[in-house]
Amino acid sequence: MTQTILNVENLSKTFSTKNSQIDVVRDVNFEVNRGEIFGFLGPNGAGKTTTMGMLTTQIRPTSGEIILAEKSIWGNLTDTRKRISIVTQHNNLDRGLTARENLLFHARYFNLPSDEAAKRADRFLDLMDLTERADDRVVNFSGGMAQRLKIARALMHDPDILFLDEPTTGLDPQSRVLLWEEIKKLNAQGTTIFLTTHYMEEPEQLCDRVAILHEGQLKALNTPEELKKLVPGQNVVSVRTGDVRDELLSEAKTLPEVEDATAEMGTLRFYMKDATPDLGELVKWLRSQDVNILSMNLHLSTLNDVFVHLTGKGLEQR
Ligand SMILES: Nc1ncnc2c1ncn2[C@@H]1O[C@H](COP(=O)(O)OP(=O)(O)O)[C@@H](O)[C@H]1O
Ligand SMILES: [Mg+2]
């Protein structure tokens, strides 16, 4: 039986500025199960950080309920804040202190006895592969190391659920893969994780379930595998071309191998029926239509394809 740790019901946030109001989060509903890695995927501006701000008591919702372990998060703020932990996008480490001192300082804030704090610091430095650098000052750390230390710090007060806001944004590809491994290890030890991201690879690599957020609304919520089944066909051929003419699309949809076709920002996407499509036929057809092929690529459908299918836009664009 799965056990729900977090229930979010009809959550909305409207920001009022001088001249206007913007609905940044619009009637969002979901549950997070204990022990899972739950992903919140959406492009910049989708409302991810605002949602996380509400889930972690930093932003008051305009309306809606947030229930953590069967209690409203607003009922007892001190208790809620002991049960959750958040790693924001800001580098809010104390750069003048060592890695270990950052952890011990956090532990004091939560009134942990010092022997317990020392034990936990050792454990989480080890878990995040920072033991060798434990007594170096943070000012000398790379972006990836700082990010791992922020996670170690967030674990010090033993939260029931850990919130990570775009944990790998700004990291180089190698550090990103390393951080994914650390997050998996952490989850394997029982920590429930809620993370936001605008990278499609991140939930594909990490998440048990993914919610897709577009302009403040949840468009879909499921496992990555099930989400990909929303995309017609199994393979997608993307063709980058200078111009995309509307009549091309309706014509493309009539091709025997093509299940569906879409166009966005100078890229044609053909959702192919066959698992091993005959690309020669497609190229022949593109030439016959005078399509100028700048590049062409065949891939298994990705979460970006799911996003395009649901919203008409790619994750990397606004
Ligand atoms: N305090 C605020 N006042 C007004 N608008 C805001 C505020 N915070 C965020 N927004 C707007 O809400 C939208 C969503 O922002 P955010 O939640 O940061 O998205 P994401 O994290 O998905 O990039 C953006 O258009 C942003 O400009
Ligand atoms: Mg954000």
Side-chain angles (χ1 to χ4, degrees):
M1 202 180 75
T2 53
Q3 217 188 342
T4 306
I5 183 164
L6 187 70
N7 296 65
V8 177
E9 292 167 14
N10 307 110
L11 187 66
S12 295
K13 181 71 192 179
T14 302
F15 284 113
S16 304
T17 54
K18 245 187 250 156
N19 309 314
S20 64
Q21 293 203 322
I22 42 167
D23 299 326
V24 171
V25 177
R26 300 191 276 167
D27 198 21
V28 161
N29 293 274
F30 63 90
E31 291 175 354
V32 176
N33 297 323
R34 213 176 271 276
E36 76 177 335
I37 305 185
F38 185 97
F40 225 52
L41 177 68
N44 281 331
K48 302 181 297 295
T49 298
T50 304
T51 303
M52 191 174 273
M54 292 192 280
L55 301 181
T56 56
T57 74
Q58 291 161 351
I59 298 176
R60 277 272 175 187
T62 304
S63 59
E65 287 281 353
I66 302 166
I67 313 287
L68 176 71
E70 284 158 17
K71 287 188 200 126
S72 164
I73 60 166
W74 305 103
N76 181 342
L77 280 182
T78 315
D79 186 49
T80 300
R81 286 175 187 157
K82 276 188 203 151
R83 288 167 168 272
I84 64 174
S85 205
I86 178 167
V87 175
T88 64
Q89 284 189 272
H90 315 288
N91 186 347
N92 50 9
L93 294 163
D94 192 324
R95 292 157 60 79
L97 298 182
T98 67
R100 191 191 307 279
E101 284 165 348
N102 268 278
L103 302 192
L104 297 178
F105 193 81
H106 181 88
R108 271 208 294 281
Y109 184 78
F110 280 88
N111 290 322
L112 247 71
S114 57
D115 52 343
E116 177 66 20
K119 259 192 251 163
R120 286 197 197 173
D122 280 342
R123 177 166 151 227
F124 296 129
L125 286 165
D126 181 49
L127 185 68
M128 290 291 131
D129 268 329
L130 288 168
T131 302
E132 282 177 21
R133 304 296 296 269
D135 299 308
D136 286 359
R137 288 200 302 155
V138 170
V139 68
N140 301 318
F141 279 20
S142 68
M145 287 165 63
Q147 195 62 0
R148 277 160 25 225
L149 181 60
K150 280 163 66 189
I151 296 176
R153 182 181 61 179
L155 296 170
M156 285 296 283
H157 65 279
D158 197 20
D160 292 342
I161 178 166
L162 176 65
F163 292 88
L164 304 173
D165 196 7
E166 306 236 12
T168 66
T169 294
L171 298 186
D172 59 80
Q174 218 178 341
S175 306
R176 180 183 298 171
V177 172
L178 181 60
L179 190 59
W180 286 344
E181 292 310 313
E182 312 294 353
I183 292 172
K184 282 185 206 164
K185 256 199 292 184
L186 177 59
N187 176 249
Q189 300 200 353
T191 308
T192 306
I193 296 169
F194 177 104
L195 67 85
T196 71
T197 184
H198 69 275
Y199 296 117
M200 63 173 178
E201 302 88 356
E202 204 143 279
E204 285 180 359
Q205 291 290 327
L206 285 180
C207 295
D208 297 298
R209 292 189 308 141
V210 189
I212 293 188
L213 190 72
H214 174 61
E215 297 178 353
Q217 288 183 304
L218 272 203
K219 293 292 176 188
L221 166 55
N222 217 323
T223 62
E225 296 70 38
E226 287 299 318
L227 286 173
K228 287 183 204 169
K229 290 185 189 161
L230 296 173
V231 178
Q234 308 168 41
N235 279 284
V236 184
V237 178
S238 303
V239 177
R240 206 158 63 79
T241 168
D243 65 314
V244 175
R245 284 164 280 138
D246 282 346
E247 66 271 20
L248 269 179
L249 279 185
S250 40
E251 185 76 21
K253 288 178 194 171
T254 66
L255 296 172
E257 293 223 317
V258 173
E259 179 80 40
D260 196 9
T262 59
E264 38 117 14
M265 305 276 286
T267 299
L268 288 163
R269 279 165 195 269
F270 301 92
Y271 299 96
M272 309 304 284
K273 285 179 188 157
D274 206 273
T276 49
D278 183 350
L279 294 183
E281 284 299 314
L282 189 61
V283 171
K284 222 187 281 173
W285 177 79
L286 287 164
R287 294 233 169 93
S288 74
Q289 302 292 316
D290 286 328
V291 173
N292 181 25
I293 303 175
L294 298 174
S295 73
M296 184 163 178
N297 128 313
L298 167 73
H299 57 269
L300 287 172
S301 42
T302 64
L303 286 179
N304 189 49
D305 298 317
V306 176
F307 195 84
V308 173
H309 176 69
L310 292 172
T311 70
K313 292 187 184 130
L315 279 164
E316 303 290 331
Q317 306 150 16
R318 302 226 29 196

